[in-house]
Structures are given as C-alpha cells and as structure tokens.
Amino acid sequence: MASPQFKVDVDGDGIALIVWDRPDRSMNVIDAATVAELSALVEKIAGDAAIKGAVVTSGKETFSAGADLTMMQALVHAFGEKMQREGETAAVTFLFEESRKLSQLYRRIETCGKPFVAAISGTALGGGLELCLACHHRIAADNTKTRLGLPEVKVGLFPGAGGTQRVARMMPPADALQFLLKGDPVALDRAKAMKLVGAVVPAADLVKAAKDWAKANPNAKAPWDTDGFRLPGGPIWSKAGMMTFPAANALYRRETYDNYPAARAILQVLYEGLQLPMDRALVVEQRYFANVLRSPEAAAMARSLFVSVQALNRGARRPTNAPPSRLKRIGILGAGFMGAGIASVSAQAGIEVVLIDRDQASADNGKATVEKSLNAQVERGRMAAERRDAALARIQATADYAALKGVDLIVEAVFEDRKVKAEATAKAQAVMPDIVFGSNTSTLPITSLAETAMDASRFIGVHFFSPVERMMLVEIILGKKTGDAALATALDFVRAIGKTPIVVNDTRGFYANRCVLNYIQEGHLMLLEGIPPAMIENTARMAGMPVGPLSLCDEVAIDLCLKIVKATEADLGPQAVDQGQKKLLQEMVETRGRLGRKNGKGFYDYPQGAPKRLWPGLADLQPRRLGRDEIEVLDVQEMKARFLVVQALEAARTFEEGVITDVREADVGSILGFGFAPYSGGTLSYIDMMGTKRFVELCRKLEKYGPRFAPSKLLLDMAAKGDSFYGRFAPGRSAA
C-alpha cells in the first residue's frame, strides 16, 4: 500500500499508520501527485474490512507546509489556455472541477466510515492543516515551536479544501473570522483552546495516543455530520449572528478598503456556508475559491509573496562560483537603533556578535536596547526566557576595535555621515584588513564609501529597514568594484538571519528609497495643493499603503527627509528637488522644531498615553486651503492613483537604468521594504495588472500634476508593443 510520498503500516489491531514523507522535499507540500496518492490510500483503507482506522502523521520535523502554489499557478495557466480554446464556460467548469479535488479528498476522509486521526508532529499550515481538520480527531506532539495556521490570505487566497467551513463549525464565527482573515499561525496552547487540536501529548506518545483514539472510536463522525449538531456561535440569523457579521464586514472594509478579493470571499463563504449542510457548504466554498484563484490579485500576490520570496530566500541571486560562508561571529560598528537591531536578529540566529561603539557606555546602551526589545517579546509570550538569555550572551558590547579579531563579517551601522563612516571603516580594517565589509547606509552611494576601504571588491552595501526586528527586507547594494565573494557573503548573512534579500546596483537612494521618497513627496505636494491632511492620509490607505505619507515621513524623521532633499540639491542642482517641498520641510524642522515621531512632534502630535493625531497647525502651513465645494469634487480615484503610480514609475525607471535587474526583486522589495499595496503584487506587477498601455495613458492624465508623472522610454516602448514586465523580462534578466 506504500507510495512515493506515503508509507503505510497496518498493526495487529487493524489501525493503519500513514507516514507522509516526501523524498524530494525538505518539507511535505501538497501537489497533484500528493492528491492522487493519498486518494488511492484512502480508497484502499475504506474498502478493506481488515483495516479499522487510520492515523496520519509526518516523517519530517514538521507536518506540512501546505499546498505548492506553483500547482495553483499551473492550474490558472491551464484555465487561461482553455479559455482561449473553448471559451469561458468550459474554462470556468474546468477550473472549478480541478481546484476542488483536494476538498473532495478531504471530505472522503471525513465520510469514509472509518476513524482517521491526525498525529501532528511539528507545524501544520494551509492545506496540511486542512487535512488535519478533515480527520475525526487531532492530537499534537508537545513542542513549543509548533504552529498551526491557515495563512492563505497572506498570498491572496483563502483555505479552499474545507478549511473555512470546518473552522467555522469548531468555534464561534467571530473567532473563525479572526483566525482566517489574519492568517497568523497559533501555538499549541491557543490551538487547543480554539479546538483545532483535541489533545497535546509528549512526542514519544504521539502515535500510540492517536491509535488508541482510533480504536476507541470505531464509528467516529465529524460533529457536523451527526444529528442535532449546532453551530458554536448559533445560527447566522440569530442575535449573535447579526452581532457578528455586520460588524465583521465593517472591520474588513476599514482594514482592507475592499482591495483583497480573498478576504472578502472569506466573509461571504462563512456567511453563506454556515446556513447550509456541509456538502453544500463545501460547494459554495469551492465556487468562491475558483473565482478568487483566477483573480489578478491572487495571481500577483502568490507570485511575489510566495514563489518569488522563496526563490530569493533560497539564493536565486547568489553567485554559484563562491563557496558557502560560515558566519559564526560578526562585528557590528555602531550600537545605535539600527546597529542594536542588527545585533539582535544576528544573535537570535545563533551568531556571535561584537557590538562596537565610540565608548563603553554607548556600546552597553546598545546591548541594553536589545535586552529591552527581547524582554518585551518574553512578556508577550513570543519568546522563551532561555532563548532571550542565550541571545544576549552572544553579544559582546565593547569600544575596543581589537575585539573584531577573527570575525567573519563586519557590518557598519554608524551615523549617516561620510567622515564618521570612513573613520569606523579605517579602525575596523586595521584589525581585519581582508574581511568582507558591509555598510548599512540608506542614502550614501556604496561606490564612494568603498573609496576608503582597503579592498573595494570586498565592500558592499547591506541596507536594513527600520525596525530591523520586524522588517523582512534587506537591500544588498553592489558598488562598481564589489566582487562575487562579498555578494555571496552578504547573501549568506541575510539568509542566516531569516531575512529576504534583493540585490541592486549602486545609485542615489538605491531602489527602495527612490520609490518610497516619491510617495512621501506626493503627500507633501498634496498638502501644498490645499488638500486636507486627513484626506491625504486616508486616501493613501485606501490605495493600499499601510500608512499615509505624512505618517511615514514622521516615522522616517522629517529632519532626515530635509537632509536628503538638501543633499540632492547640493549634488544635482536646484532643479532636482521641488522647492515647495523643501520650504515645507524647512518650516517644519528649522522653524517649528517638528522632527517627527522621535521628538513627539511632526505632521502628527504624539501625546503620551494616547493615540497620535494630526497636528492642527498643518493648515497654517498650506499656501492655500481648498473650500468645501472644491473638496467635494476631488477625484479620490485619481488621488489613489497618484500615490501608486508615482512609486511604480520610479520602479520602472530603476529597472530601465539597471539599478534593479530582476522583476521579482522589484516586486518583493516594494512590498517587504516599503509596503507598496500588497494586493497588486508589487510595483511592476501593478503596471502589468493594469496593462502597460493603460498605465501609460494614466501617466499622461496625471502629468498635469508635474513632469514626475512622465512615462519613461521603456514604458512607452512596452506600451506600443503590448509588452508586460513579466512577459518581456523573464526573472533574472535585466532591461538592458
């Protein structure tokens, strides 16, 4: 009864132990072969009178990472081809029937007449957890690292193999909606409280406990298949139901502005499905799933946030000729906010850290910053105290550069000043002259910084985003002389600390800052046009940005934005900056002393113990203020477009200039680095989703706001030829 992915052993009591252990993957993932093999096993078990029940477990450290989304991509591609050949009706029918096969398999497990028990060893996500939910009982091995979750909404989909319907029948709909819409995995104690698992046992007892349950429950049925089953939260058309769904819809719209088809579908599927028997509810779920699967948002999000992120994390841009780096100990120059953050994530990853600052007190303060951050995680239950203590023990705070002797990499994170960086570089390289040296700079070109290095080929930019602990992107910047060894080491370091890298060529602002500074500037220019600040912020969020441009400017620091504007003007001339924006920033910083969140005064006020609020004095800084009649006729859709187009245009320019050379990195970098509307799949996917011709037409319409909206030569050429970025530039190829 064995198959390539599953090993089956039937014991003397007639209980089949099914061990899922894919030989071709480090984790169990679901693809078409998985569905076919497991289906055959289920039918064999159902039809064999000698088999009394089954236990499903994993032969790997984790249970399952869920479905292989490349399988979904292939299905959507086949749908498109069928649409062209046979028309929409045939294509939609094909997509519905093919996409429901996993759901039908899980329902067969649930109704086959024999008890199935999931013995969960390690994390179970997505379709892997849906398999567990289809079993009649779930027992998990006690492990603090185990997480159970249905994270599909994070990549533009939702659980389409019965997950929405089973979860909503295990817990009140409000809890089910939160679990499904957030997509965050939960630890075992929370999973047990939510009834996602029935028991947690020592790992050594896992299989025995599962078999014992199967033997004790020969006629097991899912609760919703028994007579008299009642929904945990009561019927939809009840007082409790009416208190849940209208409020949930309002919260959904407030948080997503209806930009995410999958999130909307979750609400619809639960509302409709909970009014039906399970089999009918599963059909409803599958119809919505097939519809979401063919949406451009799902395609773009799955491609960027799953397929592309995985490829970059696996080292898609790593030079193949460079041997692997063994990073056991690193040096970090600068124990400020950024340096402390880099030290924290490195130490948590098991790397020894030498954290250096100008004096011992400053170095100690940096380590104290790390300790405070880790303590907060322990207090919230997100980290064990032992893990915190181990991480802190790996950090050596010192002012002595001699302590760098023997490190495998140096990351400089001192103040954003050429002279300060040059001094720190010289001191470090006096101790370790042949080391790969990474500079964490957000504004200064790497090629010029490398001029002070002993070996420019071993000098590279390693741009972290703030706060380091939460931001998943690291921008690796190649100077003109940076060599493969430096690139490989930097990528190995980023992988070791669990971040996602993108590789860009050297230029002012690199990739991420060039795009996001345009977003911030657009907010400033709208303010100068007389648009109310609240409308600017809300419209930006409606467009899909996580925070408004004025709020983001406060987070970055208004004085830093002014410094960047002044530096750009000094290097490129007054025509390179908007003088109105410069005057606004000077008024905020130099006249009003409003620096942003860091001093509690910016475009927002930050009262202690209360939520931030827009500073009322902003109206006094507007050269003109729109009247009520003018505000009422403002085109909100056009405002939303301005925020996204100005960033996408800059991304296209960086691609044309060869700053960023891989469409995947442009998209992943834009979402993980500065939160560009995730539903779009990223800056270049946003253009592709709209179509290059329509995008250019929109740019032409927006040119009335200034030449910054002029489409580039590459975009004009692509529009004329009907090209897309992902069609014309296969991943890994440049625009050259």
Side-chain angles (χ1 to χ4, degrees), residues 384-399:
E386 295 79 8
R387 188 179 166 209
R388 173 202 58 197
D389 296 342
L392 289 171
R394 295 187 188 104
I395 301 175
Q396 176 189 357
T398 180

Side-chain angles (χ1 to χ4, degrees), residues 27 145-146 179 298 329 373 403 491 546 587 595 649 694 713:
M27 300 179 74
K145 295 181 179 179
T146 293
F179 182 60
R329 187 165 172 263
S373 173
L491 289 173
E587 179 70 20
L595 310 182
L649 263 173
R694 281 186 57 211
K713 181 180 177 181

Side-chain angles (χ1 to χ4, degrees), residues 336-393:
F337 186 67
M338 292 299 291
I342 300 168
S344 179
V345 296
S346 300
Q348 289 179 65
I351 300 172
E352 301 286 333
V353 176
V354 179
L355 182 61
I356 291 184
D357 214 308
R358 61 182 180 272
D359 53 51
Q360 188 63 47
S362 299
D364 289 341
N365 188 57
K367 185 170 181 178
T369 299
V370 177
E371 185 172 9
K372 181 180 178 181
S373 173
L374 297 183
N375 283 341
Q377 291 190 53
V378 172
E379 290 169 6
R380 296 188 188 106
R382 297 176 181 173
M383 176 183 288
E386 295 79 8
R387 188 179 166 209
R388 173 202 58 197
D389 296 342
L392 289 171

Side-chain angles (χ1 to χ4, degrees), residues 138 177 193 234 284 442 641 664:
R138 290 156 298 283
L177 284 168
V284 168
S442 58
R664 298 172 298 183

